[in-house]
Amino acid sequence: MLIYKQLFAISLLLSLPFCIAAKEINEKDQLICAISETALCRENAGCTEGSVELVNLPLLLRLNLEKKTIKSTRISGETRTSTILAVNTSKNNLILQGVQEGSGWSMTIDKKSGQMSVSSSLDGEGYIAFGVCTRS
């Protein structure tokens, strides 16, 4: 089952440039985002880079920007929902921010390419992830 989820994510990532080219992402869209690279850094312990499983992050994120929610799915099948507290737009990016289980997070999505970066931090540790988003 794990290999099928990974193959789905890879195929999604490969097809995204063709899906996004038509129209810029905006603050009312519903998106699906796949995380491809991650790192976990701990105070006094350095950083660990690797797969989403290695740092216990979700593989897929489903964003409903109009309702300001993010649903995440981990490789294990565990799902979580987070509220987007702020949506800001710049010329080229959407910037989302929120809080979940004591950690603050921020996500930046390029409106044209769908490229995404996410960071999350709490006491003594921080996560960063990179991936790509497209309309769902």
Side-chain angles (χ1 to χ4, degrees):
M1 184 68 155
L2 175 63
I3 191 72
Y4 292 117
K5 288 180 182 180
Q6 290 175 334
L7 288 173
F8 170 75
I10 291 168
S11 66
L12 177 67
L13 288 170
L14 292 175
S15 67
L16 288 178
F18 303 107
C19 301
I20 294 175
K23 183 179 161 191
E24 282 189 359
I25 294 170
N26 68 59
E27 62 275 357
K28 296 199 183 281
D29 284 334
Q30 292 185 36
L31 306 174
I32 186 165
C33 304
I35 296 175
S36 58
E37 298 178 54
T38 65
L40 165 61
C41 297
R42 291 194 169 108
E43 185 176 15
N44 302 318
C47 298
T48 303
E49 297 178 27
S51 66
V52 293
E53 300 97 340
L54 184 64
V55 297
N56 196 30
L57 289 176
L59 177 63
L60 296 174
L61 305 169
R62 295 181 191 280
L63 285 66
N64 186 322
L65 299 179
E66 194 165 28
K67 292 183 179 179
K68 295 189 174 182
T69 60
I70 298 178
K71 292 185 180 183
S72 62
T73 305
R74 297 180 189 271
I75 293 292
S76 66
E78 174 191 5
T79 60
R80 292 184 182 180
T81 301
S82 183
T83 301
I84 301 168
L85 299 178
V87 178
N88 296 289
T89 60
S90 69
K91 180 179 178 184
N92 298 317
N93 298 308
L94 288 176
I95 299 119
L96 315 176
Q97 295 173 315
V99 175
Q100 183 174 6
E101 297 178 10
S103 67
W105 59 266
S106 180
M107 175 186 289
T108 302
I109 303 169
D110 184 290
K111 290 193 239 180
K112 290 181 183 175
S113 70
Q115 293 295 316
M116 168 203 60
S117 60
V118 181
S119 62
S120 176
S121 61
L122 57 145
D123 293 337
E125 65 183 37
Y127 295 86
I128 190 160
F130 300 97
V132 66
C133 300
T134 189
R135 287 180 191 80
S136 61

